[in-house]
């Protein structure tokens, strides 16, 4: 067989293969922020917005007041106005301790809060009621530790700013008899700790 014919066949097969390649494998970035949809924690970022590697806006505005919280005094740290990150909750899938990419938007808010305030945080892990109490305690502790790891390794915060606590099944916020209630109970919450 002629060498030029072999090159022609190879070239034809290459072109044919490329033309039949599915668009599924193409880079898709619908909000055009430079982060592919599969990794974009904030998929609807406005045009020309500077974003972090996770696709969320670079600067998050956090309005804070003078924080007066003490983890050792339940009358202050459990107060609804104790801190502005009371609503920052990282949720988890069933029996999973890894932080899901969908939760990075919440972590970006926590990052902005920590940058604006010289405070330490207690990361409190929780689980639903499915499983043994021992397993759930370890799972809740691992969830809080994984959130701490993201804040330290990915955002560069000093690990001494965080205390990790696992509560297991002991503090549900919703009814564990429903799947929605169990979903809401699988979480890590943030409490300001002024020591």
């Amino acid at each position: 067989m002629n060498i030029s014919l072999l090159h022609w066949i190879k070239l034809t097969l290459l072109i044919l293969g490329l033309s039949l390649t599915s668009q599924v494998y193409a880079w898709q970035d619908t909000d055009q922020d430079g982060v592919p949809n599969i990794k974009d924690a904030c998929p609807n970022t406005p045009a020309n917005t500077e974003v972090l590697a996770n696709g969320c806006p670079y600067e998050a505005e956090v309005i804070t007041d003078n924080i007066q919280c003490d983890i050792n005094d339940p009358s202050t740290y459990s107060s609804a106005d104790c801190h502005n990150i009371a609503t920052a909750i990282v949720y988890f899938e069933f029996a999973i301790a890894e932080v899901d990419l969908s939760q990075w938007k919440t972590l970006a808010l926590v990052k902005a809060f920590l940058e604006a305030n010289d405070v330490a945080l207690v990361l409190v892990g929780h689980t639903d009621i499915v499983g043994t109490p021992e397993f759930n305690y370890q799972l809740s502790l691992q969830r809080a530790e994984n959130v701490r790891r993201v804040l330290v390794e990915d955002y560069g915060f000093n690990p001494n700013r965080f205390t990790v606590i696992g509560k297991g099944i002991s503090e549900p916020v919703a009814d564990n008899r429903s799947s929605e209630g169990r979903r809401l109970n699988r979480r890590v919450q943030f409490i300001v700790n002024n020591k």
Side-chain angles (χ1 to χ4, degrees):
M1 210 185 237
N2 189 346
I3 292 179
S4 64
L5 181 60
L6 283 177
H7 287 293
W8 185 84
I9 291 172
K10 286 180 184 179
L11 181 61
T12 303
L13 289 175
L14 177 63
I15 291 171
L16 181 62
L18 290 175
S19 67
L20 296 177
T21 302
S22 172
Q23 289 298 318
V24 172
Y25 299 109
W27 173 295
Q28 293 182 357
D29 181 18
T30 53
D31 60 0
Q32 299 179 350
D33 61 358
V35 178
N37 289 352
I38 195 165
K39 293 185 177 187
D40 201 337
C42 301
N44 297 316
T45 307
N48 301 319
T49 302
E50 190 174 348
V51 296
L52 298 168
N54 67 356
C56 291
Y58 182 70
E59 293 185 46
E61 183 178 338
V62 176
I63 301 169
T64 60
D65 297 323
N66 188 16
I67 300 167
Q68 300 296 322
C69 301
D70 184 354
I71 189 68
N72 298 315
D73 181 3
S75 67
T76 63
Y77 84 80
S78 63
S79 170
D81 59 356
C82 179
H83 53 81
N84 292 335
I85 61 169
T87 58
I89 300 172
V90 175
Y91 292 101
F92 293 83
E93 294 297 320
F94 173 70
I96 300 292
E98 296 303 314
V99 179
D100 190 75
L101 189 60
S102 67
Q103 300 302 303
W104 281 62
K105 186 173 184 178
T106 300
L107 291 173
L109 294 174
V110 174
K111 175 183 183 270
F113 178 84
L114 288 169
E115 288 173 342
N117 299 281
D118 186 24
V119 296
L121 291 181
V122 178
L123 311 180
V124 185
H126 302 273
T127 65
D128 60 27
I129 201 165
V130 179
T132 66
E134 296 80 20
F135 172 80
N136 280 316
Y137 170 75
Q138 289 301 323
L139 180 60
S140 67
L141 193 60
Q142 188 61 49
R143 286 174 173 167
E145 182 59 38
N146 285 343
V147 169
R148 184 198 68 81
R149 183 178 47 79
V150 170
L151 293 169
V152 170
E153 294 177 9
D154 293 343
Y155 288 144
F157 290 107
N158 184 332
N160 295 330
R161 289 183 75 177
F162 307 106
T163 302
V164 174
I165 296 175
K167 293 286 188 171
I169 63 173
S170 66
E171 296 180 6
V173 293
D175 188 346
N176 273 301
R177 291 178 291 184
S178 72
S179 61
E180 178 63 14
R182 290 188 298 275
R183 185 189 70 76
L184 293 171
N185 289 330
R186 298 188 297 260
R187 69 198 190 279
V188 167
Q189 293 178 289
F190 304 90
I191 299 173
V192 174
N193 182 6
N194 283 341
K195 298 180 186 177

